[in-house]
Structures are given as structure tokens and as C-alpha cells.
């Protein structure tokens, strides 16, 4: 997905006059993708699949910002650094989170390994959700501030809509952690005494902490 962002930055006439309607169309499509990724991701039963759909949503954020840049070429100088910071943070955090979700799939799955995976996933999830004092908060704040200062007439509305989509990101991250502790997750074969078995309900309480922190 980050290759697509690079393609936009290299090929689109950003910072220059662009055909009328291009920017508005791209911004609207980006907003639609931000909500679509959340809606479909929340319906998934596999943690990695749900996480993949969150990438669709995050690309929607970036598409909206690029659309604003096409609409107001004079504001692209403010938008470009924010887009790059957002892209870098999302790429690193999402890649690390995918690797973390793979830990419980290894054999044998011990309690210590599973707890480590959930703790790491929660920390990365909090950052993706934009919790205060995380890289995600810095990236999202920079993107919203840049859109607000870009001079596009509908800046306040775009920022408000993206804030709603960010709440959806929090819900989706909580869903991923919920699925990470679901029935069958972390099952191990073999005579390993400390192999983890799903607890009653099978759900990590830390999913609720991510939800509460991200919505606060």
C-alpha cells in the first residue's frame, strides 16, 4: 500500500494546478475508503484479515490528504511532511503488528509467549489508534493540522469526518485484539505443560483497554 502512496507523490501534479474536480473526487474516495475498511474489517473473524482491512482505511486517510493537496496546490507544502510522517508511522507500526500476530501461531505456544504477543500487539494497537503520547497521535495530529491549514474551503468538515474514521480505527484495533484471544487462538499441540489454552470467554481484557484509551 505504501508503494501506492509513493506513486501518488511521484506522478500526480501535487503543488501545481490540476484538472478541476480531481482533488475533490480523490478526497471523497479517500473518506469512503476510510469508512469502508473499518466496516468490512469489523466483520472479519481472522485477526490478520481484520488488520489488513485497517490498512485500507488508513490509505483512505492518505488519499483524502492527497486529494486536498490537489485541490489547493498552495497548501501542499504543509501537507507533504504530514503525509510522509503518517505513511512512515503506519508502515512501521502495521508491519510490526503483523509480525506480532504471528507469534501465537508458532509451536509450542507458551503462556509467556502469548502474553508477550498480546502486550506487544496492544502497545502497537494503541499507537495505530492514535492514543496520546504515541507516534500515532503525532502522525494523526500532523495530518489533521495540515489539512486544516491547507486553505481548502471544506477543511473543517474533512477533519471532522476523518476524526470519526479514526474512532473506527480504534474499534478495529480492539476487534483485532479480541480475535487474537478468541477460541482456538494460541492452541498448541504436543505434551507442553505450559501450552496456553483459551481462558473462560477466551478474550484478552486488554482489547477493552485499547478501546477505552483510543476513544478517550
Amino acid at each position: 500500500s505504501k508503494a501506492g502512496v509513493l506513486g501518488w507523490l511521484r506522478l500526480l501534479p501535487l503543488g501545481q494546478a490540476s484538472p478541476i474536480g480531481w482533488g475533490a473526487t480523490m478526497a471523497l474516495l479517500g473518506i469512503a475508503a476510510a469508512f469502508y475498511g473499518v466496516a468490512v474489517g469489523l466483520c472479519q473473524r481472522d485477526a490478520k484479515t481484520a488488520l489488513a482491512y485497517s490498512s485500507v482505511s488508513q490509505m483512505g486517510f492518505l488519499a483524502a490528504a492527497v486529494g486536498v493537496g490537489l485541490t489547493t496546490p498552495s497548501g501542499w507544502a504543509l501537507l507533504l511532511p504530514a503525509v510522509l510522517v503518517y505513511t512512515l508511522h503506519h508502515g512501521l507500526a502495521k508491519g510490526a503488528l503483523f509480525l506480532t500476530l504471528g507469534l501465537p501461531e508458532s509451536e509450542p505456544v507458551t503462556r509467556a509467549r502469548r502474553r508477550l504477543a498480546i502486550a506487544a500487539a496492544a502497545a502497537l494497537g494503541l499507537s495505530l489508534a492514535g492514543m496520546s503520547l504515541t507516534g500515532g497521535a503525532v502522525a494523526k495530529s500532523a495530518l489533521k493540522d495540515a489539512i486544516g491549514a491547507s486553505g481548502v474551503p471544506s477543511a473543517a468538515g474533512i477533519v471532522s469526518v476523518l476524526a470519526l474514521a479514526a474512532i473506527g480505527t480504534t474499534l478495529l484495533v480492539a476487534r483485532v485484539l479480541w480475535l487474537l484471544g478468541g477460541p482456538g487462538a494460541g492452541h498448541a499441540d504436543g505434551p507442553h505443560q505450559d501450552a496456553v489454552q483459551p481462558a473462560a470467554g477466551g478474550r484478552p481484557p486488554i482489547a477493552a483497554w485499547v478501546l477505552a484509551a483510543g476513544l478517550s
Side-chain angles (χ1 to χ4, degrees):
S1 61
K2 306 307 171 292
V5 176
L6 179 60
W8 293 343
L9 299 183
R10 293 293 300 272
L11 300 177
L12 292 176
L14 295 163
Q16 308 172 23
S18 60
I20 296 176
W22 276 28
T25 300
M26 189 165 187
L28 288 174
L29 290 174
I31 291 172
F35 285 97
Y36 172 81
V38 169
V40 178
L42 289 174
C43 298
Q44 303 305 309
R45 295 174 178 267
D46 176 74
K48 288 185 177 180
T49 304
L51 192 59
Y53 275 104
S54 79
S55 292
V56 174
S57 179
Q58 297 303 306
M59 285 296 293
F61 279 75
L62 292 171
V66 171
V68 171
L70 287 172
T71 303
T72 56
S74 60
W76 181 242
L78 296 173
L79 285 162
L80 178 57
V83 168
L84 293 177
V85 168
Y86 197 98
T87 302
L88 177 62
H89 169 266
H90 180 259
L92 294 175
K94 184 60 66 66
L97 190 48
F98 267 114
L99 291 175
T100 299
L101 293 184
L103 285 177
E105 297 176 357
S106 58
E107 298 290 350
V109 181
T110 64
R111 295 185 189 280
R113 183 186 294 273
R114 183 157 181 76
R115 288 169 183 165
L116 174 63
I118 292 177
L124 292 166
L126 285 169
S127 186
L128 282 176
M131 182 184 176
S132 299
L133 303 179
T134 66
V138 173
K140 288 188 176 182
S141 178
L143 194 66
K144 292 176 183 177
D145 289 347
I147 292 174
S150 66
V152 66
S154 54
I158 294 174
V159 170
S160 297
V161 172
L162 291 181
L164 291 176
I167 293 175
T169 299
T170 302
L171 294 172
L172 191 49
V173 169
R175 172 66 172 168
V176 169
L177 293 177
W178 180 270
L179 292 170
L180 185 60
H187 175 71
D189 297 322
H192 302 282
Q193 294 181 353
D194 58 348
V196 71
Q197 298 295 331
R203 308 296 182 181
I206 201 153
W209 303 344
V210 169
L211 182 58
L215 294 178
S216 61

